[in-house]
Amino acid sequence: MHVTAIVAHPDDADIFCGGTLKKHAERGDDVTIVYMTRGEYGGFDTTEEEVAETRESEAEAAAEALDAEARFLDFRDGRITYSMENRLELVDVIRELRPDIILTHFRDDMHPDHRVTSRLVTDAYYMASLPLAQTDHEEWEPDNVYYFGKPTADEFDPEVFIDMSDQQEAKEEAILQHESQVEWLEEHGGVDAEFDGLVEGVRAQARTTGRTRGAEFAEGFVPLHKGTSEYLE
């Protein structure tokens, strides 16, 4: 099986689905994290290029902690837009990687990059199987898309839960590779106030989710197609 997470920013996969990715990697599945941007807006008094360089290096280290392959696209942080050109770029990425399942952002999210990424991935998933929608690679149809979301999102109500109690430590290790972002999110406050005490907050949320399923730690997802949760374990 091949599991691909398509996320807007370098730390998103680790925070929202890192335990699930690590669990699949430990099963022997191929795991890829596709980063839409290099997160160049997520920094202090420095240039976008310097922030992007730091965050790309951190993302590669985090992916390694999860036994995943890192792949970077060239969208611009805070400026991902919905267009046919961008949709077709993701169609070609899906066709090239040929994942069985895709993990990505839920549609209801404060961050505009998360919302647009969710829509682009959903529509690219549909188009990837169409033979007449021509790109550089042959058509491919993943089995399903699973959405992760912030606990503060009003509409996000997980239906599939992954017990990743044995992977929580690796998830936290991956998050801590984003050293610049641990500092940024804790200092930023305001719109990212839910991330005050980043690792502690992520751990608390995973414990809360796990408690509802009889697990120490768990991650929750909403599937695009219902009744096929056996693909995500």
Side-chain angles (χ1 to χ4, degrees):
M1 178 181 287
H2 185 181
V3 180
T4 294
I6 304 178
V7 298
H9 309 106
D11 53 353
D12 289 334
D14 314 298
I15 291 172
F16 295 112
C17 61
T20 298
L21 295 178
K22 180 67 171 180
K23 187 169 188 174
H24 275 273
E26 288 178 349
R27 283 193 348 176
D29 295 335
D30 294 325
V31 176
T32 304
I33 304 173
V34 176
Y35 306 98
M36 297 282 284
T37 78
R38 289 169 169 78
E40 61 270 19
Y41 268 0
F44 293 102
D45 296 329
T46 185
T47 66
E48 289 186 27
E49 291 76 12
E50 290 171 334
V51 172
E53 182 177 346
T54 296
R55 297 202 65 187
E56 181 173 342
S57 177
E58 291 173 344
E60 289 173 343
E64 183 176 352
L66 298 177
D67 296 322
E69 178 183 351
R71 171 81 174 270
F72 296 90
L73 304 183
D74 292 320
F75 294 90
R76 301 179 69 193
D77 188 15
R79 291 150 287 185
I80 302 175
T81 58
Y82 188 90
S83 67
M84 179 59 72
E85 179 182 3
N86 291 345
R87 189 202 301 176
L88 286 172
E89 181 171 348
L90 283 182
V91 167
D92 198 54
V93 169
I94 291 170
R95 288 174 168 180
E96 179 186 357
L97 295 176
R98 301 173 76 82
D100 296 290
I101 60 175
I102 298 172
L103 310 181
T104 195
H105 301 274
F106 188 66
R107 63 181 180 272
D108 177 22
D109 195 295
M110 181 181 295
H111 200 304
D113 282 350
H114 294 186
R115 295 196 304 270
V116 177
T117 296
S118 180
R119 186 181 174 196
L120 283 170
V121 171
T122 302
D123 293 351
Y125 157 79
Y126 172 78
M127 286 190 66
S129 65
L130 303 179
L132 295 182
Q134 296 184 357
T135 66
D136 291 339
H137 296 87
E138 296 297 321
E139 63 270 15
W140 176 252
E141 185 175 4
D143 293 313
N144 210 347
V145 178
Y146 292 85
Y147 303 98
F148 52 76
K150 293 183 179 180
T152 54
D154 293 335
E155 299 178 19
F156 184 66
D157 187 14
E159 302 171 31
V160 175
F161 296 88
I162 306 303
D163 180 350
M164 50 91 189
S165 302
D166 293 338
Q167 292 77 34
Q168 179 66 25
E169 183 176 349
K171 175 187 174 87
E172 294 183 15
E173 179 186 349
I175 293 172
L176 288 172
Q177 301 307 310
H178 300 278
E179 184 176 352
S180 68
Q181 287 311 285
V182 171
E183 179 183 3
W184 163 254
L185 289 172
E186 292 181 354
E187 290 288 334
H188 192 204
V191 297
D192 286 318
E194 65 204 82
F195 289 121
D196 288 350
L198 177 60
V199 174
E200 293 80 3
V202 169
R203 184 187 305 134
Q205 180 58 43
R207 181 176 284 115
T208 298
T209 302
R211 189 176 296 123
T212 67
R213 316 311 296 180
E216 184 177 7
F217 297 106
E219 293 172 338
F221 302 86
V222 175
L224 176 61
H225 301 303
K226 313 301 182 183
T228 56
S229 61
E230 65 270 20
Y231 291 117
L232 188 66
E233 299 177 348

